[in-house]
Amino acid sequence: GLPLVVYNRDRHGVVRAQHCGDAACSRLTTANISDPTLTLHNAGRFIDLTMAHDGLPLVVWTGPYIHAGFCSTPSCSLSSTTVIHQAEGAYPSVAIGDDGLPRVAYYLETGALQLASCADAHCMNPIAPAALITLATGTGVGKYPSLAICQGGRPCVAFQDSTAGHLMFVICTDKACTSAQQPVTIDDTSDELGTYISMKVGPDGRPVMMYADEETGAIKVAHCFYVDCAAGGASLVPIDRVGVGCYGEFPELDISPLNGFPILSYFNQ
């Protein structure tokens, strides 16, 4: 129940964890998750963390391929790594499905939004670590994905179409994500939407997304009218106008367990 932080240690490409020894983080233990003897280009530049079904840490990162690291201790003093997909990618986002298996969404540099469904609870299957499916394609399509598990246990992803500059959403047709519905546009009110996205599913089962509008300098929240964000759209609410060029990077949205309301944080440069 103590905090754990994962990050890219330095330009040499080492993914590292720091585990707090108490609730105030006054004591820390440090461990490398990726192999420090390997110099991996941009390893850990884009990184995400969740807890596996057994409560132990699972880390995903890019650099240059799509990697997963499973910690067999809460502090990550012991860990294993694997390559999920040997392809150039960025912006990984991980969530645990209702079946206990991790799902990882990420952007492929070739221009696609990809989803990997891990074959085991720790993404460590040495032969075939994950089944892959493409959720959306096109130049600049799939950037800044934020993955959640929507109603019915179906993986869903909010992402940016950077060519059009719109906020998009796609949901799988089943828990295993053997196929997906057509992506839908959530916000097209300007041409620079969705740079940095954070999404969670509210207590009403409807996705809630926080994202930046670089054109107007606003931080916005979209709340879908339906659980699958289908035709009918979403309510779009600007919550802060930080100024053009000072958009809210690195947003984090969570749902309060006390009242079910969203809690938001972001960087105002």
Side-chain angles (χ1 to χ4, degrees):
L2 297 174
L4 178 74
V5 179
V6 294
Y7 59 97
N8 176 345
R9 177 175 176 266
D10 54 32
R11 62 185 176 86
H12 297 297
V14 177
V15 176
R16 176 168 281 189
Q18 287 198 332
H19 185 248
C20 298
D22 54 45
C25 281
S26 61
R27 295 180 290 110
L28 293 170
T29 58
T30 303
N32 293 326
I33 298 176
S34 64
D35 188 342
T37 64
L38 300 177
T39 301
L40 300 175
H41 177 63
N42 282 333
R45 181 185 177 193
F46 303 108
I47 193 168
D48 198 19
L49 165 70
T50 192
M51 296 299 152
H53 194 62
D54 53 12
L56 291 169
L58 178 67
V59 186
V60 294
W61 69 91
T62 58
Y65 300 145
I66 317 301
H67 298 257
F70 170 68
C71 299
S72 51
T73 63
S75 64
C76 290
S77 58
L78 296 173
S79 60
S80 304
T81 65
T82 192
V83 174
I84 296 175
H85 189 183
Q86 290 190 12
E88 295 275 351
Y91 318 117
S93 180
V94 61
I96 305 300
D98 287 358
D99 54 7
L101 299 178
R103 306 304 197 275
V104 184
Y106 49 96
Y107 171 69
L108 287 179
E109 299 293 349
T110 53
L113 174 65
Q114 194 87 358
L115 183 81
S117 296
C118 292
D120 63 78
H122 303 143
C123 287
M124 290 296 120
N125 187 310
I127 299 174
L132 308 177
I133 183 172
T134 301
L135 302 179
T137 59
T139 303
V141 171
K143 288 187 175 181
Y144 307 106
S146 183
L147 170 68
I149 305 300
C150 280
Q151 193 173 74
R154 295 181 292 164
C156 55
V157 187
F159 63 96
Q160 184 197 52
D161 177 346
S162 66
T163 300
H166 296 164
L167 176 68
M168 309 292 292
F169 175 89
V170 64
I171 186 169
C172 297
T173 57
D174 54 31
K175 291 182 179 182
C177 203
T178 55
S179 63
Q181 295 180 9
Q182 285 296 312
V184 296
T185 301
I186 301 299
D187 191 353
D188 60 0
T189 56
S190 80
D191 296 328
E192 296 184 68
L193 292 157
T195 306
Y196 306 104
I197 305 167
S198 182
M199 179 176 68
K200 292 291 188 296
V201 177
D204 57 6
R206 296 183 287 149
V208 185
M209 308 161 203
M210 178 186 180
Y211 56 100
D213 181 345
E214 290 187 56
E215 187 173 277
T216 64
I219 308 301
K220 302 175 77 173
V221 170
H223 189 187
C224 290
F225 294 139
Y226 301 100
V227 296
D228 61 356
C229 295
S235 62
L236 308 175
V237 180
I239 60 168
D240 192 5
R241 198 168 295 277
V242 296
V244 176
C246 299
Y247 52 88
E249 295 178 316
F250 315 117
E252 285 294 334
L253 181 151
D254 211 340
I255 305 297
S256 169
L258 300 178
N259 56 22
F261 295 166
I263 302 171
L264 317 171
S265 68
Y266 54 94
F267 171 65
N268 180 2
Q269 64 179 357

